[in-house]
Amino acid sequence: MRAEDILRELTLEEKCSLLSGKDFWNTKSLIRFGIKEVMMTDGPHGLRKQAIDSSEVELEESVPATCFPSGAALASTWNKKLIERAAEAIAEECLENDVDMLLGPAVNIKRSPLCGRNFEYYSEDPVISSKIAKHFIKGVQSKGVSACIKHFAANNQEYRRLTTDVIVDERALREIYLKSFEEAIKEGKPDAVMCAYNKINGTYASDNKYLLNDILRQEWGFEGVVISDWGAVNDRVDALIAGLDIEMPSSYGVNDKRVYEAIKKGEVSEEELDKVVLRILNFILKHQEKTDKIKVDKEKHHQLACEVAKEAIVLLKNEDNILPLDMSKKIAVIGEFAKKSRYQGGGSSHVNPTKIENAYDNILKYSNSVKYSDGFIVDSDEINENLLKEAVEVSKEADIVVLFLGLPERYESEGFDRVDMKLPNNQNILVEKILEVNKNVVVVLSIGSPVEMPWAKSVKGILNGYLLGQAGGSAIASILFGESSPSGKLSETFPIELDDNPSYLDFPGSNDIVKYGEGIFVGYRYYDFKNMNVLFPFGHGLSYTKFEYTNLSTNKDTYNEDEDINVVVKIKNTGNIKAKEVIQVYVQCVNSKVIRPIKELKAFEKVELDIGEEKEVLIKLNGNEFSYFNEKLGKFYVEEGEYEILVGSSSRDIRLEKRIKIEKVKEEKQRFHLNSTIQDVIKTEMGKKLLKDLVKEIGKADEDNVQQKMMKEFYLNLPLRGLLYYSDGKYDLEKLEKLIEVLNS
Ligand code: BGC
């Protein structure tokens, strides 16, 4: 049966009943049409289907599923195909468990390193975030499982996340926070979008017509359903009008009744309701066909989780090529994290893994001269003198110390933010003490988000493992011993200290208001603009080999604003291990008329190269991607002029540059009004002609004469209405209106 046919048969009560969940995880069924409920579960880096029919979030009780690296780590692979494969595997586990929709990907921007959910999110940069999400969605949906991108939008902190009002300017909203969803939604076409808990500029995301209707549906052409985050609905009637389809979880009939009454009273029309119900029916109908039960090969998925984990590991520092480890050397493994992996974050994304590998057991597979000591207790911030002493003794006798540090679970999770960017002090002290007896220290980090590293200059190696999922242990050992070369890159900046971060002055806000005062200058956009030193820049990640970048070219030098730009570059592996590299393409607007970041990531490609191998790589850009959001025009706008194409291995390791020009086919017609300034008016030929006497006067001003310079600037900044006073009576209102009419004609 078609959705339209069912809709025609439904009573008003039945229509209203579809507007909310049956329970915590299912939509309602329509028994008289033989329509079953649709089941949705978390996500995003593995399946979390609660084993029991729970009406509460019981975070530990879910069916065993493969725990893939969490969002931050997934994004560090910069490998679109690999992410698609991981997403396909997660979807297969959904099918095996009769789950119709996965609640992921989660793509909120990492505005502050402190956000408790950063481990789940992809990046501080919307371009990589949206591209990764797009491939994740494609992977999930290729198996017939729906994906639900979340949390729309600007849910960038956990502190008072259900009530905080995010005050963000339109340009930052469009260029950063919404951009992280845009490509994923337009090109990935997820079946569902989950609205956020918070308010955006005064209106709850659930009731936000501007977001849910004007932008999401009208501008981006989204055709799926919008569901609420769990308990995010503020006012069900407003939410319905705004374009929210399904309220989750069940509100036990209360809100369905509210809508029913609103329709009866004529506050909302039934046509309005029908639009929503039709969308819900179309979504539900997608999942009515019984698919053949599949049996997942869990070992195969574990191996895939390991492949992803290997590519996610970021080699941050490698002085004296201390890595890969020399197998003939005596190795001290220090830190409880080596034995008790921290491999995922807490909250709704918490997966019950099919198995867990730790790093220590895997290190033993490569070397038989390993000594171990705990060094500290993960569950405590106290310094344990005995453990400290033992670790120092073990380190003294070793050639190399591999030190496992990280953020304990109680430091970061969904639901709360971190209070600072530090590791527990007992860990920092341990590094110091070990460095006193052994200089060959390699730190391996298990973290969901950046930490300060006061010892970064003194240790020789730093390997960032993020939260690598259930196979992280073997992935770490494989990288440590050089079985594979690291190829992960940071998708976020590691600032030196927390107060370097642009959100520092307003995070997490107060009185339920957080102002995004840094505007578009989030992450590297800020550090670059201010020319600041950072601990590790966006895009950074070392390899065991070297790559040579040459022959950057584009197919033309001048393009129209909506034309494809073919960027071609040669890359060669000049070292002696097969490895992968991420070619990053940034764009810089050379002479912008508005304030813009120094450079912005626009595209990237990960390539694998054998020893000595060279490849020519084509990366496509489009002139439209060079735009910024022009608040006056209310849309993205490409400036005519010169742009630098910057190709490199990180945002601060640009290897090649090429300048191109963008020409506009059609210049935006400017509309003039009484408040248009003289300088804007006389930029046009007509304006120059109409105000020729004034132009002449201004032209005569002697720049070295303060008085004349001041008067010149005064006239240039004068709005047209000011000519009433400053034209010796030449203009009255009527004449000004006439002038404006001619300018606009
Ligand atoms: C989280 C969502 C999650 C939902 C269901 C909410 O609290 O914000 O990301 O999908 O719970 O568990």
Side-chain angles (χ1 to χ4, degrees):
M1 228 175 162
R2 286 165 62 242
E4 288 79 1
D5 300 332
I6 299 173
L7 180 70
R8 234 173 286 123
E9 308 260 319
L10 291 179
T11 63
L12 183 57
E13 283 94 333
E14 280 172 327
K15 287 180 191 173
C16 293
S17 81
L18 289 175
L19 299 177
S20 62
K22 171 188 152 212
D23 50 32
F24 231 70
W25 305 111
N26 291 283
T27 60
K28 296 209 184 84
S29 54
L30 281 173
I31 295 166
R32 77 183 173 96
F33 296 95
I35 288 176
K36 73 166 180 87
E37 51 234 37
V38 170
M39 168 151 224
M40 48 190 102
T41 71
D42 291 303
H45 59 266
L47 174 71
R48 185 177 73 87
K49 184 185 177 187
Q50 288 178 215
I52 39 165
D53 246 0
S54 175
S55 59
E56 280 168 41
V57 192
E58 297 205 9
L59 299 178
E60 306 301 332
E61 294 296 316
S62 57
V63 297
T66 310
C67 180
F68 282 87
S70 53
L74 271 184
S76 316
T77 68
W78 296 58
N79 187 334
K80 302 169 213 166
K81 268 274 149 275
L82 188 59
I83 280 157
E84 230 170 282
R85 282 172 55 212
E88 283 166 14
I90 296 171
E92 283 170 8
E93 296 191 19
C94 288
L95 292 176
E96 189 183 43
N97 287 286
D98 296 320
V99 169
D100 302 301
M101 176 153 85
L102 183 82
L103 301 174
V107 299
N108 295 98
I109 289 289
K110 301 178 200 224
R111 175 176 176 251
S112 161
L114 300 184
C115 172
R117 251 179 136 167
N118 276 2
F119 71 87
E120 230 180 299
Y121 299 145
Y122 293 142
S123 182
E124 67 187 19
D125 176 89
V127 171
I128 177 174
S129 179
S130 210
K131 285 191 193 297
I132 300 257
K134 173 172 83 181
H135 289 276
F136 188 93
I137 293 163
K138 283 190 168 174
V140 170
Q141 298 199 155
S142 71
K143 297 284 169 183
V145 173
S146 292
C148 175
I149 193 168
K150 62 189 187 183
H151 312 87
F152 193 66
N155 180 179
N156 312 102
Q157 65 187 51
E158 291 301 282
Y159 177 75
R160 298 182 71 85
R161 68 175 157 154
L162 283 96
T163 47
T164 288
D165 189 4
V166 171
I167 306 297
V168 53
D169 67 71
E170 175 87 3
R171 187 170 167 202
L173 187 64
R174 297 298 200 118
E175 284 185 31
I176 307 288
Y177 300 98
L178 295 183
K179 196 96 199 150
S180 188
F181 289 84
E182 191 172 344
E183 185 174 331
I185 290 177
K186 282 181 172 166
E187 293 175 23
K189 299 195 187 308
D191 288 337
V193 170
M194 184 193 290
C195 81
Y197 282 127
N198 48 285
K199 288 182 191 171
I200 299 103
N201 294 326
T203 310
Y204 276 103
S206 64
D207 309 355
N208 208 309
K209 190 158 183 287
Y210 179 57
L211 286 189
L212 303 186
N213 181 66
D214 304 0
I215 295 178
L216 182 63
R217 293 196 205 278
Q218 303 306 324
E219 245 185 81
W220 296 355
F222 174 67
E223 289 176 349
V225 286
V226 176
I227 70 168
S228 74
D229 198 345
W230 268 229
V233 169
N234 169 54
D235 180 308
R236 188 60 185 100
V237 176
D238 286 353
L240 181 95
I241 296 168
L244 183 119
D245 302 311
I246 307 173
E247 175 191 26
M248 287 304 289
S250 163
S251 53
Y252 299 95
V254 174
N255 276 336
D256 302 346
K257 195 159 158 250
R258 277 258 300 122
V259 176
Y260 179 88
E261 280 161 6
I263 289 185
K264 284 282 176 212
K265 282 189 212 146
E267 290 167 23
V268 197
S269 69
E270 195 159 343
E271 287 76 58
E272 193 90 23
L273 172 70
D274 283 354
K275 275 196 260 164
V276 173
V277 174
L278 196 61
R279 287 197 294 256
I280 298 174
L281 286 170
N282 275 318
F283 168 68
I284 294 177
L285 287 178
K286 271 192 187 166
H287 296 285
Q288 295 303 308
E289 298 269 302
K290 264 260 164 284
T291 41
D292 292 338
K293 194 94 180 143
I294 65 159
K295 187 92 197 90
V296 166
D297 181 344
K298 292 281 161 52
E299 188 47 39
K300 229 167 111 191
H301 283 189
H302 181 80
Q303 290 315 324
L304 178 59
C306 181
E307 196 183 329
V308 180
K310 278 186 210 161
E311 289 210 19
I313 293 170
V314 188
L315 177 59
L316 295 174
K317 180 176 180 183
N318 197 16
E319 201 177 303
D320 301 338
N321 291 329
I322 189 155
L323 290 176
L325 294 174
D326 181 340
M327 289 189 206
S328 66
K329 294 274 163 67
K330 282 188 281 173
I331 297 169
V333 173
I334 312 285
E336 221 190 325
F337 283 113
K339 286 190 175 176
K340 270 200 224 154
S341 311
R342 174 146 186 261
Y343 58 96
Q344 66 174 327
S348 59
S349 68
H350 203 276
V351 172
N352 177 12
T354 56
K355 66 175 184 186
I356 306 167
E357 289 197 278
N358 73 30
Y360 178 72
D361 291 345
N362 281 286
I363 287 173
L364 295 183
K365 292 181 188 159
Y366 295 85
S367 164
N368 46 23
S369 74
V370 176
K371 287 239 166 77
Y372 173 82
S373 173
D374 275 344
F376 57 93
I377 297 172
V378 172
D379 289 337
S380 161
D381 287 355
E382 298 299 312
I383 297 167
N384 182 313
E385 293 295 346
N386 289 337
L387 291 182
L388 184 64
K389 219 165 119 209
E390 184 192 279
V392 171
E393 283 309 312
V394 172
S395 301
K396 208 188 277 174
E397 282 156 25
D399 298 317
I400 298 172
V401 182
V402 184
L403 184 46
F404 285 80
L405 306 178
L407 288 169
E409 271 187 348
R410 64 185 181 283
Y411 271 58
E412 57 178 357
S413 164
E414 177 179 341
F416 58 89
D417 300 315
R418 283 189 293 162
V419 289
D420 59 32
M421 225 177 78
K422 298 184 198 306
L423 283 171
N425 193 39
N426 55 2
Q427 297 188 32
N428 285 334
I429 299 283
L430 176 67
V431 190
E432 264 175 40
K433 294 289 172 207
I434 288 177
L435 279 168
E436 283 170 17
V437 298
N438 197 325
K439 295 283 170 233
N440 293 323
V441 175
V442 176
V443 170
V444 180
L445 291 165
S446 298
I447 50 176
S449 194
V451 290
E452 290 169 15
M453 302 181 210
W455 32 259
K457 282 205 169 81
S458 320
V459 300
K460 289 202 174 160
I462 307 175
L463 210 59
N464 177 15
Y466 276 119
L467 304 177
L468 285 178
Q470 66 180 52
S474 58
I476 288 172
S478 156
I479 296 284
L480 281 175
F481 287 95
E483 199 174 66
S484 15
S485 175
S487 63
K489 301 272 183 178
L490 293 180
S491 59
E492 62 188 320
T493 310
F494 275 50
I496 298 170
E497 289 179 330
L498 177 65
D499 57 14
D500 290 345
N501 181 262
S503 75
Y504 184 71
L505 291 178
D506 213 334
F507 183 92
S510 46
N511 296 324
D512 272 340
I513 291 178
V514 55
K515 294 190 186 123
Y516 288 14
E518 69 283 358
I520 57 167
F521 292 97
V522 176
Y524 68 89
R525 286 166 171 76
Y526 176 80
Y527 302 115
D528 279 2
F529 203 90
K530 293 203 68 183
N531 206 6
M532 282 167 77
N533 285 332
V534 296
L535 189 56
F536 298 110
F538 176 85
H540 172 73
L542 304 171
S543 166
Y544 292 155
T545 186
K546 291 262 173 294
F547 298 100
E548 192 180 86
Y549 287 70
T550 55
N551 292 58
L552 171 61
S553 66
T554 50
N555 53 330
K556 297 199 285 179
D557 289 329
T558 304
Y559 296 86
N560 291 333
E561 60 180 302
D562 49 10
E563 224 176 322
D564 274 346
I565 301 158
N566 292 349
V567 178
V568 178
V569 64
K570 277 194 176 160
I571 179 152
K572 187 173 181 183
N573 179 352
T574 59
N576 45 24
I577 178 171
K578 183 177 179 175
K580 291 184 181 172
E581 165 73 329
V582 180
I583 301 169
Q584 302 168 34
V585 181
Y586 296 83
V587 169
Q588 175 181 54
C589 180
V590 180
N591 281 318
S592 177
K593 295 194 182 69
V594 294
I595 186 163
R596 289 183 82 161
I598 303 291
K599 60 176 168 309
E600 292 177 288
L601 181 77
K602 295 294 171 196
F604 56 90
E605 215 48 69
K606 194 166 196 175
V607 284
E608 182 165 39
L609 296 163
D610 234 318
I611 301 165
E613 193 186 359
E614 184 170 49
K615 275 186 185 160
E616 194 174 74
V617 181
L618 164 71
I619 298 177
K620 269 192 193 305
L621 300 177
N622 186 280
N624 275 317
E625 293 170 45
F626 293 29
S627 61
Y628 72 95
F629 190 81
N630 183 316
E631 288 176 287
K632 258 192 181 165
L633 298 173
K635 61 179 190 182
F636 279 94
Y637 176 78
V638 184
E639 288 180 273
E640 185 163 84
E642 297 194 329
Y643 291 84
E644 206 71 70
I645 310 279
L646 310 166
V647 176
S649 176
S650 105
S651 67
R652 294 217 173 159
D653 183 7
I654 298 298
R655 306 284 180 85
L656 301 166
E657 300 183 10
K658 165 113 207 294
R659 196 170 277 211
I660 61 155
K661 220 168 147 187
I662 300 271
E663 276 178 354
K664 287 193 83 77
V665 188
K666 196 165 82 213
E667 195 46 71
E668 286 301 323
K669 202 163 159 26
Q670 210 180 337
R671 299 289 304 169
F672 292 99
H673 41 77
L674 280 173
N675 281 322
S676 302
T677 60
I678 302 290
Q679 60 182 310
D680 290 341
V681 171
I682 64 177
K683 266 183 209 147
T684 66
E685 285 310 313
M686 181 55 79
K688 247 182 250 162
K689 210 163 122 193
L690 292 173
L691 297 177
K692 63 175 184 309
D693 294 344
L694 191 55
V695 174
K696 217 163 131 194
E697 273 311 301
I698 291 171
K700 278 201 269 176
D702 175 358
E703 285 286 314
D704 294 329
N705 180 315
V706 180
Q707 191 73 14
Q708 289 187 28
K709 193 175 170 191
M710 189 275 281
M711 281 318 289
K712 173 185 162 186
E713 289 302 323
F714 179 83
Y715 274 108
L716 287 174
N717 290 318
L718 191 71
L720 284 176
R721 65 177 151 74
L723 288 179
L724 285 182
Y725 320 98
Y726 296 100
S727 66
D728 295 327
K730 191 169 161 199
Y731 288 97
D732 56 18
L733 259 184
E734 204 179 318
K735 282 195 180 132
L736 281 177
E737 302 275 337
K738 188 84 207 133
L739 180 114
I740 290 166
E741 201 183 305
V742 178
L743 282 170
N744 285 333
S745 64

